[in-house]
Amino acid sequence: MVIVNDLKPGSSFISNGNIYQVINTQLNKTAMRQMIVKVKVKNLRTGVINEMSFTGGDKVEQAVIDRKQMQYLYDDGTSLVFMDNETYDQIEIPKDKLQWEMQFMKPNSDVTVIEHENEILGVVLPDKVTLQIVECEQAVKGDTATAAEKYAVLETGLQIKVPLFIQNGENVVISTADGKYSGRAK
């Protein structure tokens, strides 16, 4: 058991049968009443982010999350297939569970698969990934009074906005947190 006052970003716990990962905590103590602990959490089964409130001193069950380095192999239509880099065992994760992550994964890319007591919870992507542009608009000459941008489609199908100087076929760095252009790949 873990006291809620000790929860830190990145730690995991179980509450009401759900597994949560802490994103942020806020402690609120006034002289007139007990401490209130507000915790912004992500449900690791559903991906939903919400806030929970606890009274200072409450206890929750600690969740042990296992992380495995795996390689994304291919999409079989209904699931994504991953291979363990050490044992070469393969697992399948339903596509509907990885809608956001699919936009940043290309075959043979390495990811971290998280699980709790042999239940696969999802995939943790690197902070930034490099992807190739397969289609982009032509820049309009003279449209540079502001930080002008144009739309581009990446090799995974993700559509993003990029600066006007980016050309078709270039590799760009994308943030996996918000899906935005981060820079040119070197």
Side-chain angles (χ1 to χ4, degrees), residues 100-165:
W100 176 256
E101 292 86 349
M102 284 173 43
Q103 301 177 96
F104 305 101
M105 293 188 305
K106 57 185 180 180
N108 301 323
S109 57
D110 288 329
V111 296
T112 303
V113 175
I114 56 173
E115 59 181 48
H116 172 71
E117 296 178 356
N118 294 326
E119 174 190 357
I120 296 172
L121 299 172
V123 170
V124 177
L125 297 170
D127 292 336
K128 298 181 188 235
V129 294
T130 301
L131 296 171
Q132 184 177 26
I133 293 178
V134 294
E135 179 186 329
C136 72
E137 303 170 351
Q138 290 297 321
V140 178
K141 193 169 189 173
D143 189 15
T144 57
T146 61
E149 295 180 318
K150 62 184 179 179
Y151 285 101
V153 178
L154 303 174
E155 61 188 304
T156 59
L158 177 65
Q159 184 176 357
I160 62 168
K161 282 188 168 186
V162 295
L164 292 178
F165 58 82

